[in-house]
Amino acid sequence: MYDLNFKPKAFLFDLNGTMINDMEYHTLAWYSIMTEDLGARLDYESVKKEMYGKNHEVLERVFGKGKFNAEEIERLSIDKEKRYQQGYMPHLALIDGLDRFLERTKEANIPMAIGSAAIPFNIDFVIDGLNIRHYLDAIISADDVKTSKPDPETFLKAAKALNITPAECLVFEDAPKGVESALNAGMPCIVLTTTHTIEEFEGYPNILGYITDYNDAKLNTLF
């Protein structure tokens, strides 16, 4: 059982759906490619359920392993990210209250890292577009890990980069697979309900609470 009153020594953020509310645009980009370009007979909700992990893993889950060679996967991935960025660019913004939360965390000398399945191309698009790189002490991207969430590698590498033990880190996540990754890493988690309903997180014992944005008063207990 996790201590609801513990004071974390580091904050680890998933990026998409956790720092920015952009998962709809990732889903729309994949939906367009899968249904219009690749002829898959999928509805939007079916595509949404596959929105975790690396791009090649998404393609393998939907179409099966071996359907595309490495060159085709790279081409589809780049196309998808370009469509995503084009669609999301006019809406690029931090989730409400996160700007103040980042500033407060920095003032409290609590280190912060991103642990995301996103590729550097997308991470740079977000953190430089929003000018928040100076808040971050480490960034773990899809290129830095061998095994995606729910494997704990992403968050364990982030904790190691900050030189903080896993149990002293608090993860902010928006997806069940991300919460499971934190659980596997031995880390408590706060869930952003930007992408999934509370009911979809049933059974995860490492969740300390749910928030819709970073204005939530329960975050005050972390400092």
Side-chain angles (χ1 to χ4, degrees):
M1 187 69 180
Y2 286 87
D3 181 2
L4 298 179
N5 298 307
F6 96 116
K7 305 296 183 185
K9 291 189 177 179
F11 294 145
L12 310 183
F13 298 90
D14 176 48
L15 180 65
N16 309 108
T18 303
M19 300 185 83
I20 55 174
N21 193 2
D22 67 333
M23 288 307 297
E24 175 187 0
Y25 298 92
H26 284 283
T27 306
L28 286 169
W30 270 131
Y31 180 75
S32 172
I33 287 174
M34 290 177 181
T35 60
E36 297 172 14
D37 297 6
L38 301 177
R41 294 182 177 179
L42 294 170
D43 58 25
Y44 179 87
E45 289 302 317
S46 297
V47 175
K48 181 180 177 181
K49 291 177 181 177
E50 304 301 335
M51 291 298 100
Y52 64 93
K54 299 180 181 181
N55 285 340
H56 74 88
E57 294 169 337
V58 174
L59 287 167
E60 286 175 356
R61 282 195 298 272
V62 173
F63 295 97
K65 288 189 176 183
K67 171 68 173 178
F68 306 105
N69 61 36
E71 189 175 294
E72 290 171 326
I73 289 172
E74 179 68 13
R75 177 181 58 79
L76 289 167
S77 295
I78 291 173
D79 188 16
K80 178 262 170 179
E81 303 309 353
K82 287 181 177 178
R83 294 190 197 194
Y84 152 72
Q85 290 191 10
Q86 183 179 21
Y88 183 55
M89 175 66 85
H91 311 280
L92 180 62
L94 291 172
I95 288 175
D96 285 351
L98 181 54
D99 53 348
R100 292 182 294 276
F101 184 81
L102 293 174
E103 188 61 35
R104 184 179 183 184
T105 302
K106 193 75 171 179
E107 290 173 355
N109 293 314
I110 298 173
M112 293 176 277
I114 285 175
S116 172
I119 61 174
F121 178 64
N122 275 350
I123 294 177
D124 292 343
F125 164 72
V126 173
I127 64 176
D128 291 330
L130 294 171
N131 192 30
I132 59 170
R133 189 179 291 273
H134 61 287
Y135 290 117
L136 301 166
D137 300 282
I139 297 171
I140 304 299
S141 74
D143 290 1
D144 299 311
V145 299
K146 293 181 179 178
T147 311
S148 297
K149 302 171 186 177
D151 188 273
E153 184 181 4
T154 296
F155 290 133
L156 290 176
K157 281 197 169 183
K160 185 176 182 180
L162 298 179
N163 198 29
I164 304 292
T165 59
E168 294 177 308
C169 296
L170 176 66
V171 171
F172 290 89
E173 260 287 355
D174 72 304
K177 293 296 182 181
V179 172
E180 186 177 345
S181 175
L183 177 63
N184 291 336
M187 301 177 183
C189 190
I190 286 180
V191 171
L192 276 291
T193 55
T194 51
T195 313
H196 295 271
T197 64
I198 290 176
E199 289 73 21
E200 292 176 86
F201 294 92
E202 185 177 350
Y204 292 108
N206 60 325
I207 296 175
L208 300 187
Y210 300 88
I211 61 176
T212 57
D213 60 39
Y214 291 87
N215 293 314
D216 197 300
K218 66 172 63 76
L219 298 178
N220 294 329
T221 65
L222 301 176
F223 297 92

